[in-house]
Amino acid sequence: MPRLIDLVRIAGRRLVVPLLGYPGAQLTCSSLKQNEFNPVLHCESICRLVDRFSPDAAFFMMDLSVEAGALGLPVRYPLYESPTVEEHPVRSLADLEAFKVLDPLDDALVQARIRAMELMKERLDVPRGGYVIGPFTLAGLLMGASELAMATITDPDLVHGVVGFCTDVCVRYARALAAAGADMIAILEPTATFLSPQAFDTFCGAYIRGLITEVTGNPGMTGAAPAGDVAGGTDATGGRAGAGARTATGTTDAADKADAAGVRNGSESAGIERTTGATGSASRANAPDIAGPRRADAMTPMMILHICGDTSHLVRNMCATGAHGLSLDSPVDFARAAREADPEVVLIGNVDPVGVMVQETPDGVRRAVRALLDMMEPYENFILSTGCDLPYETPFENIDAFMKEGRL
Amino acid sequence: MFDFAEMKAALEHGKAAQVKEFAEKALAEGVGAEEILNEGLIAAMAVVGEKFKKNEVYVPEVLVAARAMYAGLDVLRPLLAKSGVKKAGKLVIGTVKGDLHDIGKNLVKMMFEGAGYEVVDLGTDVSPAKFVDAVRSERPDFLGMSALLTTTMPSMKSTIEALKDAGLRNHVKVLVGGAPVTSKYASEIGADGYAPDASSAVDVAKELVKGK
Ligand code: B1M
């Protein structure tokens, strides 16, 4: 299985991967809402970003509502802002039952995302990244974040039940993204930022670990023996999600279907050379030769854990989830994080997406990038990125400055 | 003499049922409602706020402690109302339009309640018009606005403008906060106060009406 650290080593230089997504809508003169609903447009926006800025990997647009929407929660889609979930109705394990009959993969917007990833696979020759919400954050959308926070103390069984159920949903979607061609999947877990390290391990980390094991068939960077090649579709039972913690059951059928899909797509894509877009665009002469390990095992994505906000107190715990990379936000001191993190886990970040990337001048961006690169000079396990997704309105001259300084 | 130590410990650990029992027991022993409020509830909540500031406890612990505080308040409220104990003041609070982040706002609300204020919570995604209506009908001493998104911060300014247009700006002290908000921004938009965290927000509010 390819690991992110291998990709970093093979590159032989700093990889530069700002979390671009939304600004791509500027290049296709479209609204964010259009990109949510139209996978061809979504892929086009991302391909144009790759053409314009030549990042070393390309993620699609960040979205924390797609999984909750697929479960039936009401979602609002503003034209130029990210969609948001408007109601959080779950109060008991009984309330969860209503959600278990749904297969999230049947949802039109989930399908649109999967399709966007398939198209990105056809057109991009840099590693492609997708996002899946983290189980704790999805639980926060189901229950309300404050309710969930309190329940970690007052009703741990409820939290385990809901987060376990959410893990199954996340596994199912992540596998589908992997089958569609995602080389990397970043798990977005912002709501975990306010947990103590101990509560993180119990209510979030254990489930992330299960998710990673289920999607990659391997407990990841810091795990024990691999649990079998789940992603290749040969082992559907290799440990339930959230191994070591209690999980909800009830989506087994769904998971089996996902495996079947994995097998089908897997055999179709195995050995097929990646094509670039019709224009031959979206390819780069100086792309690091990182395609090798991926082709050998194209179905197993590299797993990244992203938490926004100040996660300084959680770095070690995040490493213990088995994630190949941690994408950390601008409040985190990266040198300190590097001292604490497992050196085989890649730290990804952390230029301020708003304070610097939107509000600074290109010179300011250059200074911030330089300071970060200098500070991270002693550490191999580092990818230059932004602390979080860049807003739609990020000035292009600032992204140019970021890329240029990052490649100096 | 009623020993508040156990009651305070119960509140700090978020034991709602115990706090309620201690409040009832104290009343039965003849302790005044106001004393229980100050010595039992407010004092304990202040400790929780301090620990949160120092990262000794995290958001879930604070929320649960606040819930325990409410359990105690419920016991005292009828008596406090009857005895006409003066509230420390009144706050109307909400997260601004377009913004659904509510954890920080909830903490601020709880700290104010914990400090003896009456709080009206307008929830999230609150438009300037809704803030203005609430100021008109509730007549609060303070209006608190929370914003977590850079894109929603300007709504704080719009609300202050709307208060001016409604002729209500001088009737209320405006407090703002939230991760991207700074004290510089607060003064630029004409807010009266800014606080970086929930327990300082109470201090700032007290400071604003000092000597009044
Ligand atoms: C009245 O006077 C006062 C005084 C003090 C006041 C005050 C008022 N209000 C707060 N305070 C102060 O006291 C509190 C306690 O001491 C403090 O409150 P805080 O709220 O700061 O702190 C809380 C106790 C704990 N902190 C939090 O609760 C926020 C944590 C982070 C990780 C966060 C979370 C959890 C969430 N998010 Co959101 N989220 C982030 C956050 C990262 C960060 N750096 O803050 C932030 C705020 N989110 C962001 C984004 C972009 C988004 N989020 C979104 C969604 C969510 C979740 C639903 C997943 C969840 C919210 C759950 C909820 N119900 O609140 C989306 C928008 C939704 C919307 N329309 O509102 C979405 C757009 C993501 C997306 N792509 O969909 C970023 C904003 C960037 C920016 N500067 O504009 C962000 C900084 C993360 C990042 N780095 O990108 C102080 O600020």
Side-chain angles (χ1 to χ4, degrees):
Chain A
M1 182 177 71
R3 300 179 312 163
L4 195 56
I5 189 74
D6 300 327
L7 201 137
V8 163
R9 284 180 182 139
I10 292 165
R13 63 166 171 79
R14 279 285 178 234
L15 294 177
V16 186
V17 186
L19 299 183
L20 288 166
Y22 290 164
Q26 285 192 50
L27 289 166
T28 48
C29 305
S30 56
S31 67
L32 298 183
K33 184 177 175 182
Q34 279 174 296
N35 285 274
E36 293 284 333
F37 284 74
N38 182 334
V40 177
L41 176 66
H42 191 162
C43 173
E44 184 64 31
S45 299
I46 302 301
C47 288
R48 289 199 194 176
L49 280 173
V50 173
D51 272 349
R52 174 76 171 70
F53 299 109
S54 305
D56 289 314
F59 281 82
F60 62 28
M61 295 186 191
M62 205 178 259
D63 178 358
L64 287 164
S65 72
V66 64
E67 300 85 353
L71 291 175
L73 297 190
V75 179
R76 183 203 307 174
Y77 297 94
L79 283 184
Y80 290 98
E81 279 150 46
S82 47
T84 47
V85 177
E86 298 188 289
E87 284 168 34
H88 319 287
V90 173
R91 291 289 168 273
S92 67
L93 286 178
D95 292 342
L96 257 192
E97 292 305 315
F99 298 100
K100 289 185 179 165
V101 296
L102 294 163
D103 180 353
L105 291 193
D106 288 337
D107 181 75
L109 290 187
V110 167
Q111 283 299 327
R113 293 244 146 200
I114 293 169
R115 181 72 193 134
M117 182 53 72
E118 285 169 353
L119 294 169
M120 281 165 67
K121 176 185 173 159
E122 283 170 19
R123 291 192 50 193
L124 290 175
D125 71 349
V126 289
R128 301 151 306 240
Y131 296 113
V132 58
I133 197 169
F136 190 79
T137 299
L138 182 55
L141 293 176
L142 284 170
M143 294 176 59
S146 296
E147 294 296 326
L148 175 66
M150 284 194 272
T152 60
I153 297 173
T154 58
D155 194 352
D157 284 347
L158 174 63
V159 179
H160 283 297
V162 179
V163 178
F165 164 73
C166 292
T167 306
D168 290 345
V169 172
C170 300
V171 166
R172 184 135 171 71
Y173 179 37
R175 279 182 178 164
L177 285 176
D183 302 287
M184 308 178 187
I185 293 178
I187 302 164
L188 307 172
E189 197 63 296
T191 300
T193 179
F194 58 60
L195 292 174
S196 67
Q198 199 187 4
F200 176 87
D201 288 345
T202 309
F203 298 107
C204 179
Y207 293 93
I208 299 272
R209 189 177 184 77
L211 168 60
I212 290 173
T213 308
E214 286 280 306
V215 175
T216 63
N218 189 306
M221 301 302 300
T222 51
D229 184 14
V230 175
T234 55
D235 179 6
T237 56
R240 298 287 300 154
R246 278 159 284 178
T247 59
T249 51
T251 55
T252 320
D253 279 348
D256 288 343
K257 269 191 262 165
D259 284 335
V263 173
R264 206 172 343 103
N265 285 335
S267 54
E268 268 171 17
S269 64
I272 293 180
E273 283 289 336
R274 184 163 304 170
T275 55
T276 38
T279 56
S281 64
S283 64
R284 272 186 314 100
N286 67 337
D289 180 20
I290 44 189
R294 193 184 56 240
R295 275 200 204 104
D297 190 359
M299 298 305 300
T300 309
M302 291 169 271
M303 302 300 287
I304 293 162
L305 178 55
H306 171 85
I307 306 187
C308 334
D310 190 354
T311 48
S312 309
H313 62 299
L314 295 176
V315 172
R316 285 200 182 93
N317 311 72
M318 288 172 76
C319 283
T321 61
H324 302 173
L326 305 185
S327 161
L328 305 176
D329 206 348
S330 44
V332 177
D333 174 348
F334 254 47
R336 202 187 120 193
R339 286 192 296 274
E340 289 183 8
D342 179 334
E344 300 281 297
V345 175
V346 180
L347 299 178
I348 304 163
N350 75 337
V351 175
D352 189 333
V354 177
V356 173
M357 293 305 291
V358 175
Q359 294 171 344
E360 272 291 347
T361 59
D363 260 343
V365 172
R366 254 173 243 126
R367 277 194 303 274
V369 169
R370 182 49 44 202
L372 177 60
L373 285 174
D374 287 348
M375 185 171 78
M376 294 306 284
E377 171 69 31
Y379 304 100
E380 179 190 35
N381 56 331
F382 172 61
I383 291 177
L384 175 65
S385 182
T386 48
C388 201
D389 205 26
L390 290 174
Y392 169 81
E393 67 275 14
T394 311
F396 282 2
E397 55 275 25
N398 283 0
I399 305 175
D400 282 328
F402 182 97
M403 293 306 306
K404 210 167 155 201
E405 191 67 28
R407 291 258 167 75
L408 268 188
Chain B
M1 254 294 284
F2 185 80
D3 182 6
F4 283 105
E6 273 185 294
M7 179 174 183
K8 281 162 69 179
L11 189 147
E12 281 177 45
H13 291 105
K15 307 282 185 210
Q18 283 184 22
V19 171
K20 181 169 174 276
E21 276 166 30
F22 278 120
E24 284 161 351
K25 192 164 157 236
L27 285 174
E29 287 178 22
V31 186
E34 191 172 0
E35 190 182 346
I36 303 173
L37 175 72
N38 289 326
E39 302 302 317
L41 305 182
I42 296 183
M45 217 39 217
V47 173
V48 174
E50 274 311 304
K51 284 189 172 170
F52 176 64
K53 230 194 259 184
K54 288 189 259 168
N55 271 339
E56 287 168 18
V57 297
Y58 293 83
V59 169
E61 286 82 1
V62 181
L63 292 175
V64 171
R67 214 179 50 159
M69 172 196 77
Y70 291 137
L73 259 187
D74 284 343
V75 176
L76 304 179
R77 205 170 270 136
L79 295 157
L80 291 170
K82 220 184 286 166
S83 64
V85 172
K86 225 176 136 313
K87 281 270 173 190
K90 185 170 179 180
L91 167 78
V92 163
I93 192 168
T95 303
V96 300
K97 179 137 194 64
D99 204 324
L100 301 170
H101 294 85
D102 64 355
I103 300 164
K105 184 265 298 164
N106 290 346
L107 290 180
V108 174
K109 167 189 164 183
M110 288 163 177
M111 284 301 165
F112 271 85
E113 281 174 322
Y117 287 75
E118 181 186 353
V119 181
V120 178
D121 181 3
L122 302 178
T124 59
D125 193 19
V126 181
S127 67
K130 207 168 157 198
F131 276 121
V132 170
D133 285 347
V135 169
R136 190 178 288 120
S137 58
E138 300 287 346
R139 300 262 154 203
D141 305 285
F142 305 99
L143 173 65
M145 289 185 275
S146 180
L148 266 284
L149 298 170
T150 315
T151 47
T152 57
M153 279 162 59
S155 187
M156 295 178 156
K157 185 164 185 240
S158 317
T159 304
I160 292 175
E161 297 299 325
L163 282 173
K164 281 186 195 156
D165 293 344
L168 292 167
R169 181 64 188 90
N170 296 329
H171 295 226
V172 67
K173 297 280 180 202
V174 177
L175 277 175
V176 296
V181 182
T182 59
S183 74
K184 183 164 163 278
Y185 182 77
S187 47
E188 273 168 23
I189 62 169
D192 299 299
Y194 156 82
D197 60 73
S199 30
S200 336
V202 177
D203 301 338
V204 171
K206 284 185 184 152
E207 200 57 38
L208 283 176
V209 292
K210 219 179 183 176
K212 256 196 160 185

